[in-house]
mmCIF file of all heavy atoms in Angstrom:
data_model
loop_
_atom_site.group_PDB
_atom_site.id
_atom_site.type_symbol
_atom_site.label_atom_id
_atom_site.label_comp_id
_atom_site.label_asym_id
_atom_site.label_seq_id
_atom_site.Cartn_x
_atom_site.Cartn_y
_atom_site.Cartn_z
ATOM 1 N N GLY A 6 102.168 83.465 102.536
ATOM 2 C CA GLY A 6 101.056 84.062 101.798
ATOM 3 C C GLY A 6 99.786 84.038 102.625
ATOM 4 O O GLY A 6 99.707 83.401 103.672
ATOM 5 N N THR A 9 93.100 81.108 103.201
ATOM 6 C CA THR A 9 91.689 81.384 103.428
ATOM 7 C C THR A 9 91.378 81.650 104.892
ATOM 8 O O THR A 9 90.349 82.233 105.204
ATOM 9 C CB THR A 9 90.811 80.233 102.900
ATOM 10 O OG1 THR A 9 91.235 79.014 103.503
ATOM 11 C CG2 THR A 9 90.899 80.140 101.392
ATOM 12 N N ILE A 20 87.372 91.886 95.880
ATOM 13 C CA ILE A 20 88.415 92.510 95.053
ATOM 14 C C ILE A 20 88.774 91.662 93.836
ATOM 15 O O ILE A 20 89.658 92.035 93.063
ATOM 16 C CB ILE A 20 89.696 92.803 95.873
ATOM 17 C CG1 ILE A 20 90.329 91.508 96.387
ATOM 18 C CG2 ILE A 20 89.405 93.780 96.994
ATOM 19 C CD1 ILE A 20 91.708 91.677 96.978
ATOM 20 N N GLY A 30 81.644 101.619 87.140
ATOM 21 C CA GLY A 30 82.462 102.501 86.318
ATOM 22 C C GLY A 30 83.489 101.779 85.468
ATOM 23 O O GLY A 30 84.397 102.391 84.924
ATOM 24 N N LYS A 32 84.921 99.880 82.198
ATOM 25 C CA LYS A 32 84.699 99.773 80.759
ATOM 26 C C LYS A 32 85.913 99.068 80.150
ATOM 27 O O LYS A 32 87.022 99.591 80.197
ATOM 28 C CB LYS A 32 84.527 101.156 80.139
ATOM 29 C CG LYS A 32 84.263 101.091 78.652
ATOM 30 C CD LYS A 32 84.093 102.475 78.056
ATOM 31 C CE LYS A 32 83.872 102.339 76.564
ATOM 32 N NZ LYS A 32 83.844 103.641 75.908
ATOM 33 N N PRO A 33 85.716 97.868 79.588
ATOM 34 C CA PRO A 33 86.858 97.140 79.016
ATOM 35 C C PRO A 33 87.354 97.760 77.708
ATOM 36 O O PRO A 33 86.595 98.432 77.009
ATOM 37 C CB PRO A 33 86.297 95.746 78.773
ATOM 38 C CG PRO A 33 84.837 95.930 78.629
ATOM 39 C CD PRO A 33 84.471 97.126 79.464
ATOM 40 N N GLU A 48 86.197 104.065 86.356
ATOM 41 C CA GLU A 48 85.716 105.382 86.785
ATOM 42 C C GLU A 48 85.429 105.355 88.282
ATOM 43 O O GLU A 48 84.720 104.484 88.781
ATOM 44 C CB GLU A 48 84.446 105.739 86.020
ATOM 45 C CG GLU A 48 83.973 107.141 86.269
ATOM 46 C CD GLU A 48 82.781 107.491 85.405
ATOM 47 O OE1 GLU A 48 82.905 107.414 84.164
ATOM 48 O OE2 GLU A 48 81.730 107.819 85.985
ATOM 49 N N SER A 51 83.907 109.739 92.920
ATOM 50 C CA SER A 51 83.472 110.210 94.237
ATOM 51 C C SER A 51 83.858 109.197 95.304
ATOM 52 O O SER A 51 84.352 108.120 95.012
ATOM 53 C CB SER A 51 81.956 110.423 94.238
ATOM 54 O OG SER A 51 81.290 109.209 93.959
ATOM 55 N N GLU A 57 91.758 111.359 91.159
ATOM 56 C CA GLU A 57 91.935 112.792 90.932
ATOM 57 C C GLU A 57 92.396 113.132 89.521
ATOM 58 O O GLU A 57 92.218 114.240 89.060
ATOM 59 C CB GLU A 57 92.932 113.343 91.952
ATOM 60 C CG GLU A 57 92.453 113.169 93.382
ATOM 61 C CD GLU A 57 93.517 113.512 94.405
ATOM 62 O OE1 GLU A 57 94.498 114.187 94.054
ATOM 63 O OE2 GLU A 57 93.368 113.090 95.557
ATOM 64 N N ASP A 60 89.872 113.229 85.080
ATOM 65 C CA ASP A 60 88.444 113.368 85.407
ATOM 66 C C ASP A 60 87.888 112.146 86.136
ATOM 67 O O ASP A 60 86.762 111.726 85.903
ATOM 68 C CB ASP A 60 87.614 113.646 84.153
ATOM 69 C CG ASP A 60 87.897 115.023 83.569
ATOM 70 O OD1 ASP A 60 88.118 115.966 84.360
ATOM 71 O OD2 ASP A 60 87.880 115.143 82.334
ATOM 72 N N VAL A 62 88.923 108.986 85.994
ATOM 73 C CA VAL A 62 88.977 107.722 85.260
ATOM 74 C C VAL A 62 90.420 107.213 85.278
ATOM 75 O O VAL A 62 91.346 107.896 84.859
ATOM 76 C CB VAL A 62 88.494 107.884 83.797
ATOM 77 C CG1 VAL A 62 88.593 106.563 83.053
ATOM 78 C CG2 VAL A 62 87.067 108.412 83.767
ATOM 79 N N HIS A 64 93.016 103.332 85.398
ATOM 80 C CA HIS A 64 93.172 102.010 84.799
ATOM 81 C C HIS A 64 92.643 100.930 85.735
ATOM 82 O O HIS A 64 92.786 101.029 86.945
ATOM 83 C CB HIS A 64 94.643 101.718 84.495
ATOM 84 C CG HIS A 64 95.204 102.586 83.429
ATOM 85 N ND1 HIS A 64 94.985 102.346 82.109
ATOM 86 C CD2 HIS A 64 95.946 103.712 83.503
ATOM 87 C CE1 HIS A 64 95.585 103.281 81.391
ATOM 88 N NE2 HIS A 64 96.179 104.125 82.215
ATOM 89 N N MET A 73 98.825 92.076 95.507
ATOM 90 C CA MET A 73 99.792 92.689 96.421
ATOM 91 C C MET A 73 99.218 93.823 97.257
ATOM 92 O O MET A 73 99.645 94.034 98.393
ATOM 93 C CB MET A 73 101.017 93.174 95.634
ATOM 94 C CG MET A 73 101.823 92.042 95.033
ATOM 95 S SD MET A 73 102.335 90.783 96.235
ATOM 96 C CE MET A 73 103.583 91.676 97.133
ATOM 97 N N VAL A 87 92.266 100.708 93.820
ATOM 98 C CA VAL A 87 92.220 101.499 92.585
ATOM 99 C C VAL A 87 92.928 102.840 92.788
ATOM 100 O O VAL A 87 93.657 103.313 91.924
ATOM 101 C CB VAL A 87 90.759 101.689 92.113
ATOM 102 C CG1 VAL A 87 90.670 102.674 90.974
ATOM 103 C CG2 VAL A 87 90.157 100.349 91.718
ATOM 104 N N GLU A 91 96.335 104.240 90.961
ATOM 105 C CA GLU A 91 96.461 105.532 90.274
ATOM 106 C C GLU A 91 97.718 106.266 90.731
ATOM 107 O O GLU A 91 98.470 106.795 89.909
ATOM 108 C CB GLU A 91 95.233 106.401 90.554
ATOM 109 C CG GLU A 91 95.359 107.797 89.939
ATOM 110 C CD GLU A 91 94.302 108.769 90.417
ATOM 111 O OE1 GLU A 91 94.134 108.949 91.644
ATOM 112 O OE2 GLU A 91 93.646 109.373 89.543
ATOM 113 N N VAL A 103 105.441 98.013 95.610
ATOM 114 C CA VAL A 103 104.811 98.832 96.652
ATOM 115 C C VAL A 103 104.050 97.944 97.639
ATOM 116 O O VAL A 103 104.182 98.101 98.853
ATOM 117 C CB VAL A 103 103.882 99.900 96.037
ATOM 118 C CG1 VAL A 103 103.014 100.565 97.092
ATOM 119 C CG2 VAL A 103 104.697 100.942 95.296
ATOM 120 N N GLY A 108 103.693 95.598 102.928
ATOM 121 C CA GLY A 108 103.487 94.378 103.706
ATOM 122 C C GLY A 108 104.656 94.067 104.616
ATOM 123 O O GLY A 108 104.480 93.727 105.788
ATOM 124 N N THR A 109 105.863 94.192 104.091
ATOM 125 C CA THR A 109 107.058 93.930 104.895
ATOM 126 C C THR A 109 107.178 94.953 106.021
ATOM 127 O O THR A 109 107.441 94.588 107.170
ATOM 128 C CB THR A 109 108.327 93.959 104.020
ATOM 129 O OG1 THR A 109 108.199 92.963 103.002
ATOM 130 C CG2 THR A 109 109.579 93.701 104.836
ATOM 131 N N SER A 110 106.957 96.229 105.705
ATOM 132 C CA SER A 110 107.029 97.277 106.722
ATOM 133 C C SER A 110 105.999 97.049 107.815
ATOM 134 O O SER A 110 106.295 97.192 109.004
ATOM 135 C CB SER A 110 106.795 98.652 106.091
ATOM 136 O OG SER A 110 107.780 98.922 105.141
ATOM 137 N N VAL A 113 107.136 94.143 109.983
ATOM 138 C CA VAL A 113 108.243 94.555 110.841
ATOM 139 C C VAL A 113 107.722 95.377 112.017
ATOM 140 O O VAL A 113 108.125 95.176 113.160
ATOM 141 C CB VAL A 113 109.298 95.352 110.034
ATOM 142 C CG1 VAL A 113 110.277 96.075 110.944
ATOM 143 C CG2 VAL A 113 110.044 94.429 109.087
ATOM 144 N N ALA A 120 116.251 97.553 113.380
ATOM 145 C CA ALA A 120 117.447 97.435 112.545
ATOM 146 C C ALA A 120 118.550 96.652 113.263
ATOM 147 O O ALA A 120 119.364 95.992 112.639
ATOM 148 C CB ALA A 120 117.951 98.816 112.151
ATOM 149 N N PRO A 124 119.814 90.870 110.215
ATOM 150 C CA PRO A 124 121.189 90.434 109.900
ATOM 151 C C PRO A 124 121.959 91.488 109.123
ATOM 152 O O PRO A 124 121.406 92.161 108.256
ATOM 153 C CB PRO A 124 120.978 89.178 109.063
ATOM 154 C CG PRO A 124 119.613 88.696 109.434
ATOM 155 C CD PRO A 124 118.820 89.921 109.763
ATOM 156 N N TRP A 127 121.741 92.040 105.360
ATOM 157 C CA TRP A 127 120.524 92.610 104.775
ATOM 158 C C TRP A 127 120.501 94.136 104.860
ATOM 159 O O TRP A 127 119.656 94.775 104.297
ATOM 160 C CB TRP A 127 119.290 92.091 105.497
ATOM 161 C CG TRP A 127 119.028 90.650 105.252
ATOM 162 C CD1 TRP A 127 119.807 89.770 104.560
ATOM 163 C CD2 TRP A 127 117.908 89.915 105.691
ATOM 164 N NE1 TRP A 127 119.250 88.522 104.553
ATOM 165 C CE2 TRP A 127 118.059 88.587 105.261
ATOM 166 C CE3 TRP A 127 116.785 90.231 106.447
ATOM 167 C CZ2 TRP A 127 117.144 87.590 105.527
ATOM 168 C CZ3 TRP A 127 115.866 89.235 106.713
ATOM 169 C CH2 TRP A 127 116.052 87.939 106.253
#
Side-chain angles (χ1 to χ4, degrees):
T9 56
I20 63 169
K32 181 180 178 186
E48 187 175 302
S51 61
E57 299 171 18
D60 292 324
V62 179
H64 293 280
M73 293 306 288
V87 171
E91 176 191 54
V103 168
T109 301
S110 299
V113 166
W127 291 5

